[in-house]
């Protein structure tokens, strides 16, 4: 039984190690998805940049992410049936009613935008602005 437990731990470590070093930039990440998903990911990227020029792009938790004042702003990710958007827990709580009205699935750290629908850029803008305000208030 100990061998099996060690094997599971080793596999988990090996998977984490591989995933930790997989993507170097947004382009590498985007290319792992079908064209429709790539287009939505790129649309989201460009839209967020249009809101706040000069944001730092990085890969965090193996997802595309942005930093504002050296702090994580938002993360996003592609999936088969949705785009996951990760504005961190306080933003999820703040916008819970919006998610419910639009019938989006959400958890304490993420909201899912269905692939078959247009990205809710108005809501993304509000969440990004909320996160910027959070970061700026914590700084002062």
């Amino acid at each position: 039984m100990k061998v099996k437990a060690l094997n599971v731990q080793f596999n988990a470590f090996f998977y984490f190690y591989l995933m930790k070093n997989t993507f170097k930039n947004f382009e590498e990440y985007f290319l792992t998805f079908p064209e429709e998903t790539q287009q939505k990911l790129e649309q989201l990227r460009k839209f967020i940049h249009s809101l706040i020029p000069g944001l730092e792009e990085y890969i965090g938790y193996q997802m595309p992410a942005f930093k504002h004042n050296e702090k994580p702003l938002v993360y996003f990710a592609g999936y088969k049936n949705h785009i996951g958007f990760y504005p961190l827990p306080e933003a999820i709580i703040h916008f819970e009613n919006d998610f419910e009205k639009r019938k989006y699935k959400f958890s304490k750290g993420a909201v899912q935008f269905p692939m078959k629908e247009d990205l809710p850029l108005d809501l993304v803008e509000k969440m990004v602005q909320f996160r910027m305000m959070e970061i700026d208030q914590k700084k002062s």
Side-chain angles (χ1 to χ4, degrees):
M1 204 54 139
K2 285 183 181 180
V3 172
K4 187 174 182 180
L6 287 175
N7 191 29
V8 169
Q9 287 177 343
F10 176 77
N11 285 339
F13 171 78
F14 187 69
Y15 177 77
F16 174 77
Y17 179 78
L18 282 177
M19 289 306 294
K20 183 179 170 198
N21 295 301
T22 303
F23 305 111
K24 292 181 180 74
N25 55 46
F26 282 22
E27 288 78 16
E28 284 185 9
Y29 180 87
F30 291 176
L31 287 173
T32 65
F33 293 95
E35 183 67 27
E36 178 187 13
T37 307
Q38 288 182 39
Q39 289 173 357
K40 288 202 180 244
L41 293 169
E42 186 61 34
Q43 180 188 11
L44 190 54
R45 174 194 202 179
K46 286 180 178 177
F47 180 73
I48 293 171
H49 272 300
S50 77
L51 297 173
I52 313 146
L55 282 178
E56 178 186 345
E57 293 185 352
Y58 73 106
I59 299 294
Y61 303 106
Q62 284 305 302
M63 294 182 285
F66 291 100
K67 284 185 181 178
H68 172 65
N69 291 335
E70 299 183 23
K71 302 285 185 197
L73 180 66
V74 294
Y75 301 81
F76 61 102
Y79 296 93
K80 183 178 180 181
N81 297 313
H82 69 275
I83 299 295
F85 192 74
Y86 304 83
L88 303 177
E90 289 299 319
I92 294 294
I93 292 166
H94 186 80
F95 292 99
E96 191 171 320
N97 289 336
D98 294 277
F99 305 150
E100 288 172 349
K101 285 179 193 170
R102 298 176 192 223
K103 297 182 175 33
Y104 291 147
K105 294 179 184 176
F106 64 96
S107 64
K108 72 177 189 175
V111 59
Q112 296 180 6
F113 304 140
M115 196 62 71
K116 294 178 182 176
E117 298 176 16
D118 290 339
L119 288 171
L121 299 179
D122 61 323
L123 184 56
V124 169
E125 181 175 3
K126 290 175 187 174
M127 288 188 284
V128 168
Q129 289 173 344
F130 179 87
R131 283 290 302 134
M132 286 185 56
M133 183 183 68
E134 268 191 315
I135 292 167
D136 291 342
Q137 284 179 351
K138 288 180 183 176
K139 190 176 179 183
S140 53

